[in-house]
Amino acid sequence: MSRTFDVYPVNDREVTIRDFLDALQQMFPFDPDALEVYHCGERVSSTEQISMNTGLTCFDIADERIFADRNAGMTEVYWCVESRALEGAGRSFYVAAACTLAVLTNGTLESGDGAWHNDNLYRGEELWQEYLTEEQPYNYHKEPFFSPAFNNTIYISAEKVREDVFRRCTDEAANPPNRLLREICEAAKRHALYFLEKLQQTLGDRFEKEFPPARPVRSITADTPADDLLHYFTVDRIVIEPPAQEGQIEYTLEGYCQWDYTDDGIALTVTDGRLTYFGFKLGFKPTEYESEHYAALNLDREKNFA
């Protein structure tokens, strides 16, 4: 889904591609050689005096496309600046493009569909300054990465986190030190044994039917080497939040395990290189139709096995 800035001009002047890009360059210096410009579907030179007031103009930069279109509604004229650019140079270009149009037309702009974090009405310079302060420091690419330790691709959730903190967290999650990986495996073993014991108590005679000996998870016993638990769970998401203390490195890995009857999943939190939480995903609660299976577990939903 695309996101949109709406720009409401006070001075409904003609804006040419050259005028627009010259003004944009003053606000957000970009590499002209990395930019392709299209007007009404035809590629044009970025220096041409082609009016953007009629027809759709497209700017292609950093593998992102930003569209600008002037609309004459029933009661007012407004510009739409639309894109899906969320990170990197494309994101900066997108926000700067909307702000530049507002400056050139002495107008205001807003977004009600997620292009900005609120739907307030801004002057162009005002929103750009807020972008530089509130968003640009955290504007960098956050691509999923492969973790050899967990043999899986890990997707990312990270907001308001500096790039240096982000890199340290993802680097450690991809290749955790042996000590940390062993802590995780030992916690997983404790969680698995607890879960299976409680389910056996709860299900009684039904346990053998629900968890027959042929299921691999039944082979987990007190004698199972902790490292073997890596075969029974996986992680596929990392959640990184701003550190509670300056210099602290903390992240949470989320995933699933074979012993979890409910498929709610597991979470593990690492703080400054040590495992500080291993258990159910925090915040999950059993649904009513599952209450029988949770009978022995409800009181321990936030039990920590780290």
Side-chain angles (χ1 to χ4, degrees):
M1 171 181 163
S2 296
R3 294 175 170 85
T4 307
F5 284 106
D6 290 327
V7 180
Y8 305 101
V10 171
N11 174 15
D12 188 27
R13 55 167 287 188
E14 181 180 56
V15 178
T16 68
I17 290 174
R18 180 173 181 176
D19 292 342
F20 171 74
L21 290 177
D22 284 349
L24 178 64
Q25 188 74 253
Q26 297 299 312
M27 181 174 290
F28 168 61
F30 61 91
D31 180 6
D33 293 336
L35 177 68
E36 296 180 1
V37 184
Y38 299 84
H39 184 70
C40 296
E42 299 291 331
R43 186 170 179 181
V44 298
S45 168
S46 60
T47 61
E48 291 187 48
Q49 293 285 13
I50 296 175
S51 176
M52 294 172 55
N53 290 52
T54 57
L56 183 68
T57 308
C58 171
F59 304 94
D60 193 329
I61 190 168
D63 295 326
E64 298 285 4
R65 290 187 173 184
I66 292 91
F67 301 91
D69 188 24
R70 177 183 172 278
N71 298 273
M74 294 292 293
T75 59
E76 63 182 343
V77 173
Y78 64 98
W79 290 79
C80 287
V81 184
E82 185 176 11
S83 183
R84 297 184 66 178
L86 298 177
E87 294 178 345
R91 172 63 175 171
S92 295
F93 190 102
Y94 175 36
V95 177
C99 294
T100 297
L101 277 172
V103 170
L104 287 174
T105 61
N106 194 31
T108 54
L109 71 159
E110 66 175 353
S111 173
D113 66 355
W116 197 242
H117 60 267
N118 61 50
D119 57 0
N120 295 344
L121 202 62
Y122 289 87
R123 305 289 295 181
E125 304 93 331
E126 181 186 12
L127 188 140
W128 183 245
Q129 287 304 313
E130 186 169 311
Y131 170 78
L132 293 177
T133 302
E134 301 295 331
E135 187 175 321
Q136 190 182 51
Y138 315 110
N139 179 23
Y140 51 88
H141 284 292
K142 307 173 185 70
E143 299 290 342
F145 62 94
F146 181 78
S147 170
F150 298 108
N151 193 31
N152 200 28
T153 297
I154 299 180
Y155 294 86
I156 297 165
S157 174
E159 295 184 8
K160 298 291 185 180
V161 177
R162 297 195 317 268
E163 186 171 7
D164 61 321
V165 174
F166 172 83
R167 299 298 174 199
R168 290 171 65 186
C169 290
T170 54
D171 288 349
E172 184 174 89
N175 294 288
N178 290 336
R179 174 190 50 75
L180 174 59
L181 190 60
R182 182 160 187 82
E183 287 181 6
I184 293 171
C185 290
E186 289 173 347
K189 179 179 175 179
R190 289 190 291 270
H191 189 262
L193 292 175
Y194 165 83
F195 201 99
L196 293 172
E197 179 184 359
K198 290 292 185 179
L199 280 178
Q200 187 171 20
Q201 295 173 358
T202 302
L203 298 177
D205 294 340
R206 292 171 50 204
F207 179 76
E208 292 298 326
K209 180 179 179 181
E210 300 284 354
F211 285 86
R215 288 185 61 167
V217 71
R218 283 290 301 277
S219 66
I220 301 175
T221 69
D223 296 325
T224 301
D227 292 351
D228 287 0
L229 268 291
L230 283 172
H231 302 298
Y232 298 97
F233 75 93
T234 186
V235 296
D236 57 12
R237 183 169 180 258
I238 184 170
V239 179
I240 310 173
E241 296 180 350
Q245 301 176 12
E246 184 66 27
Q248 186 180 69
I249 299 298
E250 183 174 272
Y251 57 90
T252 296
L253 294 169
E254 297 180 345
Y256 298 91
C257 58
Q258 294 185 23
W259 59 85
D260 185 354
Y261 191 94
T262 64
D263 291 331
D264 274 357
I266 55 172
L268 59 102
T269 299
V270 177
T271 307
D272 291 335
R274 301 305 299 260
L275 184 68
T276 54
Y277 177 82
F278 191 108
F280 294 107
K281 286 183 182 177
L282 294 174
F284 275 80
K285 300 297 180 185
T287 56
E288 183 176 353
Y289 71 89
E290 293 172 329
S291 58
E292 176 187 3
H293 307 136
Y294 277 99
L297 301 171
N298 284 346
L299 297 179
D300 295 329
R301 287 292 295 173
E302 296 185 6
K303 186 176 177 63
N304 185 2
F305 294 85

